[in-house]
Amino acid sequence: MKQSVSKQKHLPLRIMLGRLAAVLLAATVLLPVVYMVVNAFALEQNGGFLPVRFGFSGFYEVFLRRPDYLVKFWNSMLLSVVIVAGQAVVSCLAGYGFARFRFPFKEIIYFAVIVMMLMPYQVTLVSNFIVVKALHLDNTYWAIFLPGIFSPFGVFLMRQGFEAMPQELREAAMLEGCKELGILTKIAIPVCRGQLTALVLLCFVDSWNMVEQPLVFLKETFRYPISVFLAQMDENRIDILCTCGILVTLPTLLLFLFCEEDLTDGIAKWKG
């Protein structure tokens, strides 16, 4: 009884400390975002956190007066959408094959996929450049599309989801005369919707924020995505920099807000 009473006395203090730590962590994470949003409306700044005067000149420059910002934005959107769509198709097909079929050297090939997944992209960048150069695809978007589409992480993630799918569903579909492609599209992918959503979100964030690949594979600067353009900006106006930061942040933020439940479900199943 004494121990339970003492635990109850210390419980409010622990809750308060936990909440205080959560508030400090949230403030640390949100402070740069607040700074970016506030200073996107800056007309004049005195070197402090808040601008002296507010206005919309930064938005006017980025969205109306200078088209190069929006061109780079749509370059990023093109790269990200193609890579996400291609990787989703390849990952579903390869993941289902690894999960449901037997073929020679299956475990060896899958082990190679895992090894490639564990390697940082910078390690394979030189070999990718040599292959792209040999295929005469350098200075084209295909030099970025192909390595992104055939990324091994998606194969691993979708294989985990397909393996967790009950075998009875596949057997019942086969008894109904459904072929393997029909089982994949009509049963396996809807069952593993959470994993596929997690793959789409993680792949989009990765391709949206890439910097090394465009710098290595592309020569003309007009082909660069906004992630590279933003890193190379040398603007003296803080409002233009922060407006571009908002432009870069919005797509991933909106994707996360619309797909938060599926993302959480997919990661939970993957861990399970």
Side-chain angles (χ1 to χ4, degrees), residues 221-242:
T221 56
F222 73 89
R223 298 178 183 270
Y224 282 170
I226 196 170
S227 54
V228 176
F229 188 63
L230 188 63
Q232 294 179 342
M233 283 179 64
D234 188 20
E235 294 280 355
N236 294 322
R237 291 178 52 179
I238 190 66
D239 56 341
I240 294 180
L241 284 171
C242 291

Side-chain angles (χ1 to χ4, degrees), residues 175-192:
L175 290 175
E176 294 291 332
C178 192
K179 302 298 183 181
E180 289 293 348
L181 185 59
I183 296 174
L184 173 63
T185 56
K186 297 178 182 178
I187 298 176
I189 291 179
V191 169
C192 300

Side-chain angles (χ1 to χ4, degrees), residues 86-208:
Q87 189 174 146
V89 173
V90 171
S91 299
C92 287
L93 293 173
Y96 187 79
F98 278 116
R100 296 301 177 187
F101 295 117
R102 294 181 180 179
F103 50 87
F105 309 109
K106 171 183 174 180
E107 298 301 329
I108 296 176
I109 297 174
Y110 186 69
F111 178 76
V113 171
I114 297 298
V115 171
M116 292 297 295
M117 184 185 71
L118 296 177
M119 287 185 179
Y121 189 83
Q122 291 79 4
V123 175
T124 59
L125 195 60
V126 175
S127 58
N128 285 339
F129 179 79
I130 294 173
V131 174
V132 165
K133 192 79 173 177
L135 295 174
H136 303 288
L137 296 176
D138 53 315
N139 199 32
T140 67
Y141 282 150
W142 285 106
I144 301 176
F145 289 153
L146 294 178
I149 289 173
F150 292 96
S151 174
F153 174 73
V155 178
F156 166 77
L157 184 60
M158 295 310 300
R159 178 195 181 252
Q160 298 298 106
F162 291 141
E163 277 201 336
M165 186 183 73
Q167 182 68 16
E168 291 78 9
L169 293 176
R170 181 171 178 265
E171 294 174 353
M174 293 180 69
L175 290 175
E176 294 291 332
C178 192
K179 302 298 183 181
E180 289 293 348
L181 185 59
I183 296 174
L184 173 63
T185 56
K186 297 178 182 178
I187 298 176
I189 291 179
V191 169
C192 300
R193 177 185 171 184
Q195 280 87 350
L196 183 59
T197 303
L199 171 62
V200 168
L201 286 173
L202 295 174
C203 178
F204 183 87
V205 171
D206 184 54
S207 56
W208 184 260

Side-chain angles (χ1 to χ4, degrees), residues 250-272:
L250 275 179
T252 53
L253 179 62
L254 293 176
L255 265 179
F256 176 78
L257 291 177
F258 280 112
C259 305
E260 180 182 2
E261 292 184 2
D262 290 330
L263 175 64
T264 305
D265 179 65
I267 294 178
K269 288 183 178 178
W270 171 40
K271 288 183 177 180

